[in-house]
Amino acid sequence: MPNDIIPAMTLTIEQVEHIANLARLELSASEKERMSQQLSAILDYVNRLQSLDTAGIPPTSSVLPPRSVLRLDEPHPGLDLETLLRNAPETEADQFRVPPVLD
Amino acid sequence: MSTLTELSLSEVTTGLRHGNFSSRELAQAYLERIERLDPALHTFLTLTPELALVQADQADQLLSDWRKNGGAAPSPLLGIPLAVKDILCVAGVRCTCGSRILENFIPPYNATSVARLRQAGMVILGKTNTDEFAMGSSTENSAYGVTHNPWDLSRVPGGSSGGSAAAVAAGLAPLALGTDTGGSVRQPASLCGVTGLKPTYGRVSRYGLVAFGSSLDVVGVFGHSAADAALVFAQMAGQDTLDATSVELPVPEFQPDASTKPSLYGLRVGVPGEYFITGMQPEVEAAIHQAITILEELGAVIQPVSLPHTQYALPVYYLIAPAEASANLARYDGVRYGPRQPAEVMWDVFRHTRGELFGPEVKRRIMLGTYALSAGYYDAYYGQAQKVRTLIKRDFDQAFTQVNLIATPATPNTAFRIGEHADDPLSMYLEDIFTLPANLAGVPGIAFPAGFDSKGLPIGIQLTAASFQEDLLFRAAHAYQQATDWHTRRPSLNQS
C-alpha cells in the first residue's frame, strides 16, 4: 500500500545524459529516449523497496563474514610484459598507448 | 562412432579405463556431432578441435600407462570432454563474453576452475554462447546471435549460460561450465531439461571468471545428472590463493547411492508458499508438487516454510547487480584490450568505444547501476537494497533452522519464444524471480528436470540448501533421479 503514494518515477533526458556522462557511454538520441522510458519503468518497479522499514538493519555487502586475506609478501614470477600487452589495441615502448588526456 | 555420445558418464569412464575406446575417439565423436547439429542450435561461439585432440591424446597416454602399470585409479573425469561458457578464461583461446568489446581478447591464463578440471584430464571442446557479460535470461543479448533450445528451436535455452545448457541437452558435450549471478545456471538448466548446480558463494574460485556482480557471481556446472555434476564440483571446489573470496573449508565427498530408491530419511524439505504465485504456468506448479511428493515417498519430511521477503528479491537484485556491474565494466575502455574507437582525446575514446561496442542490455545495466550509486541516490537505492538483502538472507537463515532443503520451481514458466520479451526488460527480469534469492543469500542451489509440459518442454525443480551443504543437494537430487527418469529424456534432433 505505501507504493501507491510514491509518484511514478521518470528519468528525464537530461538525467539520462548526466548518468551516461558519469558512465562514459556515448548514447544516440534514440538510445537516450529508450533509456529514459525503460529505466523509468525499472526504477518504478524497484521503488517498492522504499516501503520497507529497514531502520536498524545492517547492509549486506558480502554474504561471507568479513575477514582479512593476507599472503606472505614474497616476490614470485608473474606474466611477462609481452604477454600482458598482447591484447592492447596500441602499445609503444612496453606501455599502453592512448591519445592525449587534455584537449 | 556417434553412439559414444549417447553413453552415460559412468559408462564412458568405465569404457575409457578398459580401453574399449579412446579419449580421442570420444572427443572426435562429440566434435562430429557438434559439426552436424550446432549450425541449427548455435551453442558454441568458438570450437577448439586441435586443442581437444591434443588434450585427449594426453589423457589416452595416462590411461594407457595406468592400464600397464596399475596404481591409483585415475580421475573419473580423465579424458572426458567439457564445454566452457565463454566468460571463463581458457589460456590462448578467444574469450568474448558474448560482447563485441572483447571480440579479439585472448586470455593469457586459465581460470582456476578450468585449470583444476584440466588437472583432472578433462578435454576442452570449446567456448559456449552467453548473454553479453552474462546479463540476460535467454542468450538473446549475445552479440553473436541467439542459441536455440534443443527441445524447440523457436524457443530460447534460457540464460545467461544458455549455450552450455543447450550443448549438454543436445548431447554436444557431456558436461559444461556455466556461471550463476542471478540464476544463469539454474534457469537455463530448467529450460533445457538438464541438471545445473550453483555452488555456495565462495566455494569455487572465480579467478579467471570475467566479473559481473562480484558479491553474487559463482562458477557452476551442467550435466545430465546430479551425480555427474557432483564430480565436476568436487574437482573445482576449494580455496584458491588467487581469489580472496574463496573459502577454506573441506569439500565433503559425495558418494552416490546406487540403489534405485536411495533413502531421504532424516531430511526435512521446506516448501515456501511465496514461490507458488498467481500467473505461473499451472503445469509447472503441478509438476513441482508431484516431484515434492516423490521426495516424500523417498523418506523426506515435507513441511511448509516461509521466506517472507521473496517479493523483494527482484528489486534488490536489479539494484545491486547493476551497481556492481557498472563498476566491474569500467575496465572496458579500449586501452588494455578490445578494439578501440578512434578519437582525438582519451575521454572520447572511452565514450565512443563503450557506446559503440556494448549492447543494449549491458548499457541499460551500466546506466541503472551508475544511477543507483550516484550522489544523492546512493542511500535510497543501493543502500536500501543492501539492507533488504540482509532481510532476504535472514529469511533463509531462519528457514534452514527448520529444514535441510527448500524445494521450489526453478522458473515460473517453461522456455519462452525467441523475441517474446524483446524491448520489455522488466518482463524478461521476471523469468528469474525464483533463482535470484539464492544468489542474494549466497546459498547453493540445484535445478533438475521434473517433468514436461503439454508442449513437450522441460520443467525444472530447484532445491536450495544452507551454505556449504552442496552434498545435501546432490543426495536429494540423486535420489530423485534414481526414482524417476525425467533426466534421461533427450530431445529429438531431426538433423538432415
Side-chain angles (χ1 to χ4, degrees):
Chain A
M1 40 91 246
N3 282 335
D4 298 340
I5 54 169
I6 295 171
M9 185 72 210
T10 44
L11 213 57
T12 63
I13 298 290
E14 290 70 33
Q15 284 173 299
V16 166
E17 285 172 343
H18 171 64
I19 304 161
N21 182 46
L22 291 176
R24 303 283 184 262
L25 274 179
E26 179 75 15
L27 299 179
S28 68
S30 66
E31 278 183 309
K32 288 177 194 169
E33 188 62 42
R34 213 173 322 127
M35 208 61 94
S36 158
Q37 290 162 10
Q38 291 176 335
L39 292 183
S40 295
I42 295 166
L43 288 170
D44 223 20
Y45 183 86
V46 302
N47 261 337
R48 65 185 55 195
L49 293 184
Q50 309 301 334
S51 66
L52 270 178
D53 180 6
T54 53
I57 306 292
T60 294
S61 53
S62 170
V63 294
L64 298 174
R67 68 215 162 104
S68 284
V69 181
L70 300 173
R71 60 165 171 76
L72 292 178
D73 189 17
E74 287 170 342
H76 60 91
L79 293 169
D80 60 272
L81 260 179
E82 194 205 326
T83 306
L84 286 169
L85 290 169
R86 204 173 289 154
N87 281 293
E90 211 182 339
T91 60
E92 189 181 308
D94 286 346
Q95 294 169 75
F96 298 111
R97 188 185 158 85
V98 293
V101 177
L102 300 171
D103 285 279
Chain B
M1 200 63 81
S2 69
T3 53
L4 285 183
T5 62
E6 286 157 29
L7 299 176
S8 72
L9 188 60
S10 62
E11 288 168 336
V12 170
T13 300
T14 307
L16 285 173
R17 285 183 183 176
H18 290 172
N20 299 341
F21 49 85
S22 67
S23 176
R24 170 177 269 265
E25 287 167 328
L26 183 65
Q28 279 170 332
Y30 276 103
L31 290 167
E32 279 167 25
R33 190 171 163 85
I34 291 166
E35 197 179 329
R36 199 153 43 84
L37 297 179
D38 209 43
L41 292 166
H42 192 47
T43 64
F44 282 90
L45 293 180
T46 304
L47 281 172
T48 53
E50 298 86 3
L51 184 67
L53 294 180
V54 168
Q55 293 173 347
D57 288 344
Q58 290 167 352
D60 284 330
Q61 186 61 50
L62 290 170
L63 283 159
S64 136
D65 291 349
W66 174 72
R67 275 193 298 273
K68 239 178 279 162
N69 308 327
S75 163
L77 297 173
L78 176 59
I80 306 290
L82 175 75
V84 179
K85 184 181 183 180
D86 203 23
I87 198 165
L88 286 158
C89 292
V90 176
V93 178
R94 183 177 79 133
C95 184
T96 70
C97 298
S99 181
R100 286 174 57 214
I101 214 162
L102 286 178
E103 68 184 12
N104 52 16
F105 175 64
I106 312 279
Y109 55 83
N110 279 323
T112 296
S113 50
V114 170
R116 289 185 179 178
L117 295 173
R118 281 288 304 129
Q119 191 91 42
M122 292 197 84
V123 172
I124 296 170
L125 297 174
K127 306 291 298 291
T128 56
N129 199 10
T130 169
D131 287 292
E132 186 173 4
F133 288 105
M135 297 179 194
S137 313
S138 69
T139 70
E140 290 169 288
N141 297 333
S142 167
Y144 303 100
V146 69
T147 295
H148 298 261
N149 190 311
W151 295 91
D152 177 345
L153 298 183
S154 72
R155 292 176 188 274
V156 303
S160 63
S161 316
S164 283
V168 172
L172 306 186
L175 291 160
L177 293 184
T179 61
D180 193 315
T181 304
S184 284
V185 166
R186 291 158 292 150
Q187 185 257 12
S190 176
L191 268 46
C192 286
V194 297
T195 301
L197 171 78
K198 171 224 176 283
T200 310
Y201 182 84
R203 183 64 114 168
V204 177
S205 168
R206 283 104 49 87
Y207 179 71
L209 160 60
V210 178
F212 160 18
S214 299
S215 79
L216 304 159
D217 294 340
V218 297
V219 180
V221 56
F222 298 93
H224 283 299
S225 70
D228 293 0
L231 289 174
V232 173
F233 168 74
Q235 182 65 32
M236 291 194 295
Q239 205 218 358
D240 174 20
T241 51
L242 296 171
D243 175 2
T245 61
S246 69
V247 172
E248 193 175 1
L249 277 178
V251 182
E253 203 177 325
F254 171 71
Q255 291 288 1
D257 180 336
S259 77
T260 52
K261 275 205 163 186
S263 173
L264 294 182
Y265 184 78
L267 281 189
R268 305 184 82 84
V269 177
V271 181
E274 292 87 355
Y275 281 69
F276 296 86
I277 54 171
T278 51
M280 70 185 290
Q281 195 176 325
E283 291 166 298
V284 171
E285 185 167 359
I288 301 310
H289 284 303
Q290 182 63 37
I292 290 167
T293 305
I294 290 169
L295 296 176
E296 188 169 28
E297 286 166 8
L298 290 166
V301 173
I302 310 297
Q303 66 184 71
V305 73
S306 181
L307 298 164
H309 296 92
T310 298
Q311 60 161 313
Y312 299 108
L314 184 68
V316 168
Y317 181 84
Y318 278 98
L319 288 168
I320 289 177
E324 294 182 359
S326 72
N328 276 323
L329 272 60
R331 74 192 64 173
Y332 305 107
D333 53 12
V335 173
R336 287 154 296 167
Y337 24 65
R340 173 188 291 178
Q341 293 294 112
E344 294 297 311
V345 290
M346 194 173 69
W347 308 110
D348 288 339
V349 167
F350 293 173
R351 291 192 303 122
H352 290 139
T353 299
R354 293 161 62 79
E356 181 67 26
L357 299 175
F358 281 139
E361 181 64 24
V362 169
K363 286 185 198 170
R364 204 149 41 225
R365 295 205 198 183
I366 289 174
M367 291 286 289
L368 188 56
T370 303
Y371 181 67
L373 291 173
S374 65
Y377 298 97
Y378 181 97
D379 288 337
Y381 286 109
Y382 186 65
Q384 176 73 351
Q386 284 190 309
K387 289 176 186 171
V388 182
R389 182 177 185 181
T390 303
L391 297 175
I392 290 166
K393 184 172 186 302
R394 284 180 184 174
D395 282 356
F396 279 94
D397 292 345
Q398 175 62 27
F400 287 126
T401 64
Q402 302 160 42
V403 295
N404 307 101
L405 294 167
I406 293 172
T408 69
T411 58
N413 305 298
T414 54
F416 48 94
R417 288 193 181 281
I418 292 169
E420 197 171 320
H421 294 302
D423 276 340
D424 187 359
L426 202 49
S427 76
M428 180 77 88
Y429 298 170
L430 285 163
E431 295 290 343
D432 288 337
I433 44 174
F434 296 153
T435 51
L436 301 170
N439 297 82
L440 293 170
V443 298
I446 193 167
F448 51 96
F452 288 83
D453 72 3
S454 55
K455 297 188 216 79
L457 300 170
I459 295 170
I461 184 173
Q462 170 178 241
L463 297 177
T464 45
S467 288
F468 304 107
Q469 297 198 336
E470 289 88 355
D471 52 327
L472 285 186
L473 298 178
F474 295 137
R475 184 181 157 202
H478 174 71
Y480 179 86
Q481 290 179 333
Q482 289 292 96
T484 59
D485 68 355
W486 302 119
H487 66 293
T488 65
R489 311 281 178 96
R490 299 286 181 272
S492 66
L493 292 157
N494 294 326
Q495 61 285 351
S496 48

